[in-house]
């Protein structure tokens, strides 16, 4: 199985990182050459591409992005990404609820 390679540019310092995705027996292997990626931590570059956010890509090749998603589809990696997105949405919703509750409380205490 061939490898899919992406190059992304860091927003903060312009450094370029290389991402490589390939299929394995267990799903997908997706590496990034940034500091977080090399340490084995999850990095924003891989997460962004798995979420179809190609803004950091030096060159966007639609076929490669599509191939990455085909490769990741149904994998444990993609399940984990979806779980994270869902958890983030829950947090965002809770924060919005908290802001609303604080506004209501402030109105009551201020009146
Ligand atoms: Zn990275």
């Amino acid at each position: 199985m061939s490898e899919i390679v992406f190059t992304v540019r860091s927003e903060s310092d312009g450094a370029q990182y290389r991402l490589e995705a390939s299929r394995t027996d267990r799903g997908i292997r997706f590496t990034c050459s940034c500091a977080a990626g090399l340490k084995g931590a999850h990095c924003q570059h891989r997460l962004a591409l798995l979420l179809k956010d190609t803004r950091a890509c030096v060159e966007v090749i639609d076929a490669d992005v599509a191939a990455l998603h085909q490769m990741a589809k149904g994998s444990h990696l993609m399940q984990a990404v979806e779980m994270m997105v869902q958890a983030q949405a829950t947090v965002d919703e809770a924060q919005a609820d908290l802001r609303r509750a604080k506004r209501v409380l402030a109105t009551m205490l201020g009146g």
Side-chain angles (χ1 to χ4, degrees), residues 17-36:
Y17 303 115
R18 179 183 167 92
L19 287 78
E20 297 176 7
S22 56
R23 207 186 289 276
T24 70
D25 298 341
R26 292 165 52 219
I28 176 175
R29 178 179 154 77
F30 194 18
T31 60
C32 180
S33 65
C34 77

Side-chain angles (χ1 to χ4, degrees), residues 30 32 34-48 50 77 80-81 84 88:
F30 194 18
C32 180
C34 77
L38 291 176
K39 267 193 307 200
H42 86 268
C43 75
Q44 66 203 21
H45 311 114
R46 285 174 290 179
L47 191 59
L50 288 169
L77 176 63
V81 168
M84 203 212 68
Q88 183 65 59

